[in-house]
Amino acid sequence: LSILMFYIATTYLFTTRIGITGPIKVMMISMTGLIAVLFLITFWEKISIHASASWALVGLLCGVSYKYTGLLLMYPLIVCVLLAGLVCSARLYLNRHTPFQVWSGAMLGFSTALMALVLFG
């Protein structure tokens, strides 16, 4: 809850006081929304927030590379996919989550970030 409040305050201040616009604003709002959804889901089901966050970064990079085709993001995207895979593997190896919890967190994070940038970026 404290992280969610921090994200809400930061997003509010950056968008209203500083005047961030465009894709950065969409990224900030989508990540704040993702944290809110994860906070609510945690009451019913344990979901991997680590997997969700790492795959949200992959989704953001995919969305940026889709919207701005002139950017060469293949190498950063490959590195982020490998790191996200390592994060998910670590959660499973440490027995902190089940495969369902890791996969659902990864899909939620990736789809939220990608759809936010494709639709609103």
Side-chain angles (χ1 to χ4, degrees), residues 19-63:
I20 298 289
T21 60
I24 302 295
K25 180 179 179 179
V26 172
M27 287 181 202
M28 291 183 75
I29 292 171
S30 67
M31 291 304 100
T32 303
L34 177 63
I35 292 170
V37 168
L38 289 170
F39 173 72
L40 293 175
I41 290 174
T42 304
F43 286 115
W44 294 280
E45 177 68 36
K46 184 179 177 184
I47 192 170
S48 178
I49 296 173
H50 289 90
S52 185
S54 60
W55 281 99
L57 178 61
V58 174
L60 289 175
L61 283 176
C62 286

Side-chain angles (χ1 to χ4, degrees), residues 30-100:
S30 67
M31 291 304 100
T32 303
L34 177 63
I35 292 170
V37 168
L38 289 170
F39 173 72
L40 293 175
I41 290 174
T42 304
F43 286 115
W44 294 280
E45 177 68 36
K46 184 179 177 184
I47 192 170
S48 178
I49 296 173
H50 289 90
S52 185
S54 60
W55 281 99
L57 178 61
V58 174
L60 289 175
L61 283 176
C62 286
V64 168
S65 66
Y66 174 77
K67 292 294 266 191
Y68 306 100
T69 56
L71 296 177
L72 298 174
L73 294 177
M74 182 176 51
Y75 294 120
L77 187 59
I78 291 170
V79 169
C80 287
V81 166
L82 291 174
L83 290 175
L86 285 173
V87 167
C88 293
S89 298
R91 303 311 291 167
L92 292 170
Y93 178 76
L94 295 172
N95 290 323
R96 298 295 183 216
H97 294 285
T98 65
F100 172 77

